[in-house]
Every structure is written in structure tokens, then in C-alpha cells.
Amino acid sequence: MSDKNSGLIASLAHQGISRRTFMKYCATLASMMALPPSAGRAMAEAMAAARRPSVIWLPFQECTGCTESITRSHSPSLEGLIFDAISLDYQETLMAAAGHQAEEALEKAIEENKGKFVLIIDGSVATGLDGAYSCIAGRTNLELLKRVAPHAGAIVAMGSCAAFGGIPKANPNPTAAVAVTDIIKDKPVVNIPGCPPIPVVMTGVLAHYLTFGSLPELDKLGRPKAFYGETIHDRCYRRPFYDQGKFAKTFDDEGARKGWCLFELGCKGPVTYNACATVKWNGGTSWPVESGHGCLGCSEPDFWDGGGFYRALSMPADPLKMAATAAVVGTAAGVAATFANRAKKGAAKSAHETVTLADLEK
Amino acid sequence: MNEMQFLTWVRGPGLDIAIGIFLLGVLWRLIEIYTLGRKQDVAPGRQRDGASGLHTVFRRSVPPPGMVRKSPVTYIGGYVFHIGLAIIVFLFAPHIALIRDLTGLSWPGLPSQFVDLVTVVTMAAMVVVLFDRINKPAKRYLSTFQDWFTWTLTFLPVLTGWMAVQHLLLPYTTMLALHILSVELLLIFLPFTKLFHTFTVFGSRWYLGKINGHRGVPV
Ligand code: SF4
Ligand code: SF4
């Protein structure tokens, strides 16, 4: 993780990545981000020339899945190599240093790259018990975030936990976990949600930052529009089956074998904005829906509490609790009304006085 | 509350409340209406062909001779949107999935493009019928708040559902949540407004046919 002054390209060359491969990668990246082809060149040049960007990665309440996604997606992935090539000054899981040395590295990185370093956070921030649920070197995640964030050049919330609170925030949220944006309000934060997120999105954001010195265009939830602009459903190759009304009803029926739509098996593709359907996973090998499982909606806020992964979007999210009581009350009300009406009729009948001819002649 | 929480709420507690009120209202009103009874007609019944409850149920489902020409909008528009609504509600696959989940019953659905087309036609028919109601002095005079209100309650789910599928105006998630919410409003008000005719229409036709049939009058 050293030798900061050599450019990224030199470091990549060192690992056997030719300039040509790198240029091609940047061109793909640019097109994925809906940037003009010239941007690919610009990106390649900026990244090649860039002094290796200093990155501080703070792991909070997380499962390391996001780190795994990037470093081990498939080997050797270019994302992984670029990731290796950046100057990762602080990352609990990957760094060799430990204990006081690690904390010193952190402070040093902040001082040396004030206002320039990229701060990546994975995991949610515990706020319960003043944040005591999750500490590193005696400091709570909350304290650490407040210490580091003001000096960052760019902040990236990596994965659904950092972006939206994720699994730690799931009901009943015992640690009072929140998203990074719930704490950092005065600085733009790029959210790269996903459980885990797609590796190329992170390289894309990094490349954009290095090339243009700015963050890519973001949607309302702080996600780069280039990757989160469309739903899984709208780009899903099983979509024609959805439109034809052909659905797999179980995971092993004929429909499932024929590759029909997984909507009825709980696919959340229609409400999930992510790039899985186009970018795919593991170097473009496949993606969840292609392997036969519905989308869980992992890049959306609170996907964990979305009413069950195997319930279709049009099905109730919770079991109906009131129906039985309502039916009893409704029946009782109907019976009561019946008696009231009968009583009324009876009263009218007994109050009825027969009119005789004599009465009329009176 | 973000849009996903909104969606989960309408699919969860919101739906629970709506279906609860719907069931309560439907059972209450059905029991009340059908136990009302009638005073016994002691006059001897008269027989006449075509004068019975069943006859009226069918007869009233087709326009009387000459009436289609007289008020085409009412009849054609009415048929189109009623049949359209039935197709949308009962033959769109995601709706069938809901019905299957709630009742265990299911049947094959129609291609979504077809349902889409039916939706557009249904909305057009509903709008035409509404304009007719506004335009024709007699209809306007007879209309009460409930007529405008129930039209809106019926129209909103169709409109929001279509807009969600077409990705219009709002992100799909929000529109879908609004769609479900509008259906919930419909469910809540249905038992207590004239929309309750969904449950009573054939019963009341039968009832009318039977009383008049007893007198030997086919209606
Ligand atoms: S499998 Fe999921 S994402 Fe694909 S078409 Fe069906 S519902 Fe949409
Ligand atoms: S398919 Fe859906 S659940 Fe699976 S990784 Fe992609 S966004 Fe997440």
C-alpha cells in the first residue's frame, strides 16, 4: 500500500495490466456511466496520471461482505487491482498494521491529505448508548465518523448498511443504527447501496472523482444515476415472460425450469434500482435472477423489512390480523341491526291502529 | 418515511385496516339488508311468462329495446367500463397473485399489454361517462356528492395503476404505493356507498323481479 508517488497505471502495469486493457476498461466504465467516449480517455489519463489517491475506509457495523465483493469478486478483477492500487491508508480488515499503529496511520492520513482523501464507509452507525455498540480502538463509530468526515474530499457510503442502515437497522433495530447521511448532513455523500454493492460502481465513482474532481450525478437517494437509474425489472431478461403472464409458481416447477418470471416467487425487481441486470456479477458471469432467484431489493432502503423475500409485491406484506375480528364485529353489527329493525317494525305494527269506516266518517 | 417504507406500510398495516373495514362493512350491510324482509303479500300470486326474480336478473343486464340508441353513452360507456374493470381487477397477473394469497383461488391471467390496453379504454369510458353526467342537465340534477365521490374512488386505482406501469410522473415504487393506497380507500368506502351495488346488484334485481312476478308483471 505504499509508494504513493507512482501513478495508478504504473502500479497496474506492475501487476501485469497493460495500458491497452486499462484504456478498454475505462472506456467501458465511461459507457456504463453514460458518459461520452471521450470521457473514457479522460478517465484513463486522469487515473493513470493521478497520484495514487489516498483512501480511508472506515468499517462500522458491517459484515465485511462489501469488502469481499470488491476484493474477491473474481480474480483478478480489475476492480480488485485498482482497489489494490489506490493508497488505502486505513482499512481495518486489509491493513497489516494493528492497534496503536493503525490508529496512527489513520491520523497521519487525515493530516497529510486534508480535504483530498476519499472516505469510504461500510456498515451502519450505531447511535444507541451513545454509539457504544460498535467501537474501534476505544472510539465509537459515531465519534470516528465525526472526526474524519469533515476533512474528507469525498465521502462514499459503501453498501446498504452505510447508505441506508441496512440489516443492523432492520426491525427492531437494537443498536439504533442509522445511515451515514443521517449523521453527515453538510457534505454530499455518494450512496452505493447493495448487499453487497456491485464492485464496478465503486471504481466508477472513484474514476469520476479522479477525472473530473467531482462526484457523478446522483439520484434522490444519493445513488449514482448511471448505475441506479433503472429498475432491475425494466432491464430484466425475464421481462417478456412477465408481460406474457408466465410465472414460475415454485422454485422447481416447469415455469422455473423454463426461466419464466419470478414475480410470484417474491421478486422485488420492479421496485429495485440497481445495475445487476446489465452489469451482472462475478465479471459478468450471471446475476441473481439469471440463477433462478428473485431480486431481494437489496439496494433499496429497508429492504430487510419489506414484507418477506418470497412474497410477491402485490401480496400483503404482513399477515392480515384484523380480518377475523372484523368479520365477527361486522356479523355482530349486522345481527344487531337486524334486531333493531325487527323491533322497529314490531313497534310500528303494535302502534298501528286499524282505521274503521266509522273513523273516516267522523 | 421513504417510498419503500410507504409501500411496505400500504402492503402491511394499511391493507390490514382496509380489508378489516371492508369485511366488517360488507357483512354488516349484507346481513342487515337481507334480513329486512318484506311484509307478506297475502294476495294470490299470478303467473305470467317472464315474470320472476331470475328473469329480471338477466333482463336488467341487457338494455331495453331502443335504449342504446336513446342514451348510447350511458349504456355503451357503462358496459365498457364495467367489463374493463372486471378484466383489470381479475385478469391482471399481479392481482391474481393477491387473490390467490388471500383466498387460495387462482386462474390464468392475460398478457400485461392487453390489460394495459383495456385500462386505457376503461379510463376513456369513465371520463366520457363523467362528462355526460356533467353535460346532461337531468343527470347533473340527479347527481349528488356521492356520485362524484364514488366515480373518483373508482377512477383513482385505475389511473394510478396504469401510471405506475407506464412509469409516469413518479417513480414506480411511489406510484405503486399510491395505487395500493387508492385501492384501500375504495375498499374502505365500498360497503358504505352506492358502490355496494357490487354485492347487491343481482340480489336487488331478483327482489324486484320476484315482487312484481307475484303480481304477474315482468319487469
Ligand atoms: S424476474 Fe423479477 S425483475 Fe425479472 S421480469 Fe420478473 S419480476 Fe421483473
Ligand atoms: S438482484 Fe436485487 S437483491 Fe440481488 S444483488 Fe441485485 S439488487 Fe440486490
Side-chain angles (χ1 to χ4, degrees):
Chain A
M1 292 182 197
S2 60
D3 195 10
K4 286 189 186 178
N5 296 319
S6 67
L8 188 61
I9 193 86
S11 153
L12 285 174
H14 204 68
Q15 301 182 61
I17 303 292
S18 71
R19 192 180 160 77
R20 196 183 148 78
T21 313
F22 182 66
M23 295 289 284
K24 231 170 97 186
Y25 179 77
C26 288
T28 319
L29 208 56
S31 84
M32 267 181 197
M33 299 182 78
L35 296 167
S38 58
R41 190 166 289 273
M43 268 182 181
E45 274 161 17
M47 278 172 80
R51 213 191 64 140
R52 299 168 62 191
S54 170
V55 172
I56 294 178
W57 182 312
L58 296 178
F60 291 162
Q61 292 198 113
E62 43 85 42
C63 70
T64 315
C66 297
T67 317
E68 291 282 335
S69 162
I70 288 195
T71 55
R72 289 164 216 242
S73 51
H74 75 301
S75 58
S77 75
L78 250 169
E79 287 90 30
L81 292 178
I82 290 174
F83 189 72
D84 283 346
I86 58 180
S87 173
L88 193 55
D89 289 311
Y90 182 89
Q91 216 282 15
E92 288 278 322
T93 316
L94 302 175
M95 69 200 304
H100 293 301
Q101 273 182 333
E103 297 318 300
E104 276 162 26
L106 173 64
E107 292 302 325
K108 201 167 141 230
I110 298 174
E111 287 311 317
E112 280 178 8
N113 304 288
K114 252 191 184 154
K116 286 189 299 238
F117 66 89
V118 178
L119 170 62
I120 299 178
I121 296 143
D122 70 334
S124 63
V125 190
T127 62
L129 299 180
D130 292 326
Y133 283 107
S134 182
C135 297
I136 300 169
R139 282 195 283 186
T140 66
N141 296 165
L142 192 62
E143 271 179 82
L144 211 52
L145 181 61
K146 286 183 175 162
R147 159 85 184 99
V148 183
H151 308 294
I155 304 176
V156 176
M158 186 72 185
S160 291
C161 296
F164 304 132
I167 298 173
K169 189 181 166 227
N171 242 340
N173 192 0
T175 64
V178 298
V180 170
T181 44
D182 289 322
I183 308 290
I184 307 298
K185 303 239 181 236
D186 53 351
K187 264 191 160 169
V189 175
V190 183
N191 282 334
I192 305 186
C195 191
I198 302 178
V200 73
V201 182
M202 200 205 75
T203 3
V205 171
L206 220 54
H208 197 286
Y209 180 66
L210 289 178
T211 314
F212 305 111
S214 65
L215 299 173
E217 201 190 342
L218 305 177
D219 72 3
K220 217 178 74 216
L221 293 173
R223 304 177 290 199
K225 272 192 183 161
F227 295 101
Y228 297 90
E230 282 174 298
T231 62
I232 298 284
H233 183 63
D234 284 340
R235 300 305 299 266
C236 179
Y237 76 103
R238 296 194 189 217
R239 180 62 183 270
F241 294 120
Y242 174 91
D243 288 329
Q244 288 161 26
K246 290 181 174 159
F247 300 96
K249 310 269 175 196
T250 63
F251 283 105
D252 55 1
D253 68 358
E254 207 202 329
R257 277 192 290 276
K258 284 188 174 156
W260 289 357
C261 170
L262 302 165
F263 179 87
E264 293 195 10
L265 290 170
C267 182
K268 302 295 180 294
V271 293
T272 307
Y273 292 81
N274 205 346
C276 305
T278 43
V279 174
K280 298 196 182 181
W281 281 87
N282 299 327
T285 309
S286 179
W287 64 292
V289 168
E290 194 172 335
S291 68
H293 195 287
C295 168
L296 306 179
C298 78
S299 57
E300 293 298 319
D302 304 305
F303 79 104
W304 205 259
D305 290 322
F309 294 150
Y310 301 100
R311 298 186 66 70
L313 266 176
S314 62
M315 291 178 183
D318 300 325
L320 300 179
K321 290 186 218 81
M322 292 190 196
T325 320
V328 172
V329 174
T331 309
V335 171
T338 303
F339 278 110
N341 292 335
R342 288 264 154 101
K344 220 172 171 183
K345 262 200 231 167
K349 205 169 172 184
S350 52
H352 181 81
E353 287 170 22
T354 319
V355 182
T356 61
L357 251 158
D359 289 333
L360 292 175
E361 279 170 2
K362 256 190 240 167
Chain B
M1 191 189 255
N2 60 45
E3 48 219 54
M4 208 60 187
Q5 286 168 327
F6 178 29
L7 178 64
T8 307
W9 189 86
V10 292
R11 287 177 59 217
L15 191 71
D16 196 21
I17 295 169
I19 292 189
I21 296 178
F22 174 78
L23 272 179
L24 189 152
V26 167
L27 284 168
W28 171 355
R29 293 212 57 201
L30 277 182
I31 293 174
E32 180 170 3
I33 291 170
Y34 285 110
T35 56
L36 262 183
R38 280 206 91 239
K39 215 171 171 185
Q40 203 192 349
D41 190 344
V42 286
R46 294 188 190 180
Q47 291 300 319
R48 194 151 152 213
D49 280 351
S52 80
L54 195 62
H55 275 103
T56 303
V57 168
F58 285 106
R59 198 176 299 122
R60 294 253 159 147
S61 300
V62 290
M67 285 308 279
V68 176
R69 191 160 297 170
K70 234 173 164 178
S71 26
V73 173
T74 311
Y75 281 97
I76 299 173
Y79 274 109
V80 168
F81 93 74
H82 275 92
I83 294 170
L85 285 177
I87 291 177
I88 300 166
V89 174
F90 295 111
L91 295 175
F92 184 46
H95 297 164
I96 301 173
L98 170 65
I99 296 168
R100 183 175 55 130
D101 193 65
L102 292 176
T103 66
L105 303 170
S106 87
W107 48 84
L110 288 174
S112 63
Q113 287 96 339
F114 181 76
V115 178
D116 204 75
L117 180 79
V118 172
T119 309
V120 174
V121 173
T122 304
M123 286 193 295
M126 285 191 76
V127 170
V128 170
V129 169
L130 179 73
F131 271 99
D132 196 53
R133 191 185 272 280
I134 296 170
N135 267 338
K136 295 251 165 70
K139 276 192 176 180
R140 193 172 56 227
Y141 177 74
L142 288 172
S143 299
T144 61
F145 168 75
Q146 233 198 79
D147 291 290
W148 312 115
F149 180 59
T150 50
W151 183 93
T152 314
L153 278 180
T154 314
F155 190 71
L156 282 180
V158 188
L159 179 71
T160 50
W162 181 73
M163 285 172 76
V165 170
Q166 297 294 332
H167 295 333
L168 295 175
L169 207 65
L170 295 171
Y172 180 80
T173 312
T174 316
M175 221 12 138
L176 179 65
L178 286 175
H179 170 64
I180 300 176
L181 187 69
S182 67
V183 174
E184 283 161 9
L185 286 178
L186 177 69
L187 282 177
I188 288 171
F189 284 105
L190 190 143
F192 307 105
T193 55
K194 51 176 59 183
L195 293 174
F196 199 58
H197 75 268
T198 37
F199 283 87
T200 52
V201 60
F202 294 119
S204 63
R205 280 179 191 170
W206 180 284
Y207 176 84
L208 272 179
K210 194 166 152 65
I211 308 171
N212 288 289
H214 191 76
R215 297 171 186 157
V217 186
V219 289

